[in-house]
Amino acid sequence: MITESPVRAVERCLGCGSTALEPVLDLGCQPLANRFTRPDPLGADEPAFPLGIQACPDCCLVQLTHVVDPAVLFSAYLYVPSASSTWVAHCAELAAYVCAEARLQPGDFVVEIGSNDGTLLRAFQTRGLRVLGVDPAANIAALANAAGIPTLNRFFGVATAEEVLAEHGPASAVVSTNVLAHVPDPVAVLRGVRGLLRPGGLYVNESPSLGDLVRHTEFDTIYHEHVSYFSLQALANLLARADLRLVDAVPQAVHGGSLRIVGVPSTSPRPASAGLRQLLAEEQVALRGDRRALRDFARRTAAVRERLRALLARLRADGKRVAAYGATAKGNTLLGYCGLTAADIAYIVDRNPLKQGLLAPGSRIPVVPPERLTTDPPDVLLLLAWNLADEIRQQLAWFAERGGAFLLPIPEPRLV
Ligand code: JHZ
């Protein structure tokens, strides 16, 4: 039987179609970062796909060298944002921000693209807004519907936008977090947003920021789900292609540094904010001639691998046992690129029950509940969820008090 490959090489820019793409970083062949698997006594092979990024000199979009069919990545999903109280608090603030910026009134209609388990929409719902989520993962959309967040189990694009428009009318606000960077055709998603917004409506999106990725050597946030790595300029260019205009941007600390952006229909009179103009100017300086900045990033990435491997080898020689915290998608890029396995890391704890009992892709390290830390404590805990280090270290104060050390891998491996 011939099955079609779910991966394709990106030869034309996903934003503007340019063929002048320039390679930035090659992380080798890696399995899908959220494909945690059941322990298999037959040791079935895991598919792995080329993982790397490249930059478009024409529209500035940094993007994967190979994309995987979204149906393979997102039709069933294990990640739920509600496992992190940092994220739940962030959602409450984001909802308040959107309500204020779009001057939403109770009863106004808010749509979220990639709404997952409804964590963000709940914050709008409690403010009296009419909400609808759209999410491609059948298992997760079912969780959201069961929890009272109406959710359409679909990929979002022009056709879904038309369906929502016909059934519910135009939206006063469309929001998405960690979604626009995940799709191989971001302009199609933005055209759907444009079609769904009422005149005067707002599109608010958050995605990890390229500037933070480069500055803090966050190479581990590169995986097949993350198709695009956005600078503000690249976002402005994409929005313009969908008849939207970027009018504001607010940097966020979440996920290692994200960009919150506000877009409006291009016919809207809303001017671009002074803050946006300032950020665009700063970005020009920081990422200007991105080639050098990106080359330096690639060099630091290789250095993290060498230092982390050396540090783990030293710990092992000293008889120290290492486990990890957070069965994160980015953790799997880190483990895979650094060539770490169960011989280096005894187990990974995670409080998401959907991941417990499974093996991390590639490294095949078992994922276990956090209670394991008390029954079988390691000497050192590698924080794969380094973006949530404050929240996790607070919970695990007892571990540090008993002499345990935390290992932060990014931006440079160090014991704290
Ligand atoms: P976290 C996700 O990546 C997935 P990941 C996705 N692809 C994306 O785009 C990015 O976010 C931005 C656990 N945890 O948020 C829960 C505890 O166990 O860093 C999560 O499994 N105990 C959509 O997977 C993981 O850590 C805790 O106390 O890299 C955190 O995953 C806390 C706070 C978290 O994202």
Side-chain angles (χ1 to χ4, degrees):
M1 188 175 71
I2 299 171
T3 51
E4 217 176 296
S5 168
V7 68
R8 72 175 171 87
V10 177
E11 278 152 10
R12 304 179 78 89
C13 173
L14 300 169
C16 73
S18 166
T19 52
L21 296 167
E22 297 171 353
V24 172
L25 178 67
D26 180 358
L27 294 167
C29 261
Q30 301 295 343
L32 301 179
N34 265 319
R35 195 50 61 92
F36 292 85
T37 54
R38 270 176 213 301
D40 175 359
L42 298 176
D45 276 353
E46 266 176 310
F49 306 105
L51 181 63
I53 55 171
Q54 54 191 349
C56 174
D58 295 332
C59 76
C60 323
L61 185 65
V62 173
Q63 56 205 279
L64 288 180
T65 55
H66 294 75
V67 291
V68 174
D69 180 355
V72 172
L73 293 172
F74 300 120
S75 296
Y77 211 47
L78 293 179
Y79 174 80
V80 285
S82 51
S84 151
S85 41
T86 305
W87 184 256
V88 175
H90 179 75
C91 286
E93 186 278 326
L94 173 54
Y97 174 87
V98 176
C99 288
E101 288 294 312
R103 303 212 172 109
L104 297 182
Q105 301 297 323
D108 280 349
F109 184 42
V110 176
V111 175
E112 183 184 3
I113 308 169
S115 47
N116 200 292
D117 62 1
T119 303
L120 174 58
L121 283 180
R122 180 168 307 289
F124 284 100
Q125 204 180 45
T126 53
R127 289 169 164 269
L129 293 148
R130 240 173 353 117
V131 300
L132 179 71
V134 181
D135 198 283
N139 63 322
I140 300 285
L143 280 180
N145 277 314
I149 305 293
T151 303
L152 201 56
N153 179 212
R154 301 270 193 290
F155 280 96
F156 186 84
V158 173
T160 304
E162 280 166 2
E163 185 185 343
V164 173
L165 194 62
E167 192 156 332
H168 302 272
S172 296
V174 177
V175 288
S176 55
T177 69
N178 303 305
V179 170
L180 195 62
H182 291 55
V183 295
D185 191 351
V187 177
V189 166
L190 291 169
R191 289 201 174 119
V193 170
R194 174 69 183 91
L196 190 52
L197 277 180
R198 71 163 171 73
L202 287 193
Y203 172 53
V204 179
N205 172 72
E206 287 185 6
S207 310
S209 115
L210 176 68
D212 285 298
L213 172 114
V214 168
R215 261 191 303 282
H216 306 128
T217 325
E218 295 166 355
F219 69 88
D220 54 344
T221 62
I222 299 172
Y223 43 92
H224 298 99
E225 282 181 19
H226 289 177
V227 179
S228 297
Y229 301 82
F230 293 131
S231 59
L232 272 179
Q233 190 55 60
L235 282 161
N237 294 343
L238 286 174
L239 262 65
R241 288 183 157 260
D243 194 26
L244 291 163
R245 196 159 47 77
L246 183 62
V247 291
D248 209 350
V250 190
Q252 303 292 314
V254 289
H255 289 300
S258 294
L259 287 171
R260 175 180 298 172
I261 56 149
V262 180
V264 292
S266 52
T267 47
S268 159
R270 185 172 164 144
S273 73
L276 172 65
R277 289 198 303 272
Q278 164 92 19
L279 286 168
L280 276 167
E282 286 169 11
E283 181 181 277
Q284 277 249 329
V285 176
L287 290 174
R288 184 76 177 165
D290 347 307
R291 284 196 194 91
R292 207 170 25 146
L294 294 175
R295 258 203 313 272
D296 191 50
F297 160 70
R299 187 188 54 71
R300 281 182 276 119
T301 295
V304 169
R305 171 168 60 183
E306 296 324 308
R307 285 193 198 139
L308 183 58
R309 289 180 61 83
L311 180 53
L312 289 170
R314 206 173 68 224
L315 289 169
R316 203 170 34 242
D318 291 347
K320 305 281 192 216
R321 202 156 154 265
V322 181
Y325 200 111
T328 55
K330 61 184 153 312
N332 293 324
T333 293
L334 185 103
L335 296 168
Y337 173 68
C338 297
L340 303 175
T341 65
D344 307 283
I345 312 287
Y347 56 81
I348 305 173
V349 297
D350 197 292
R351 68 177 176 198
N352 174 355
L354 299 178
K355 293 180 182 172
Q356 294 166 3
L358 302 179
L359 300 177
S363 67
R364 306 194 77 76
I365 301 170
V367 181
V368 297
E371 290 67 42
R372 177 79 174 264
L373 291 173
T374 42
T375 57
D376 177 25
D379 301 295
V380 175
L381 203 48
L382 169 62
L383 290 184
L384 296 173
W386 48 259
N387 50 316
L388 300 168
D390 290 348
E391 182 179 345
I392 293 168
R393 286 177 67 186
Q394 231 163 29
Q395 288 168 35
L396 296 182
W398 63 268
F399 175 73
E401 276 155 24
R402 280 173 46 169
F406 295 100
L407 198 179
L408 281 165
I410 299 295
E412 254 189 292
R414 64 191 194 284
L415 289 167
V416 290

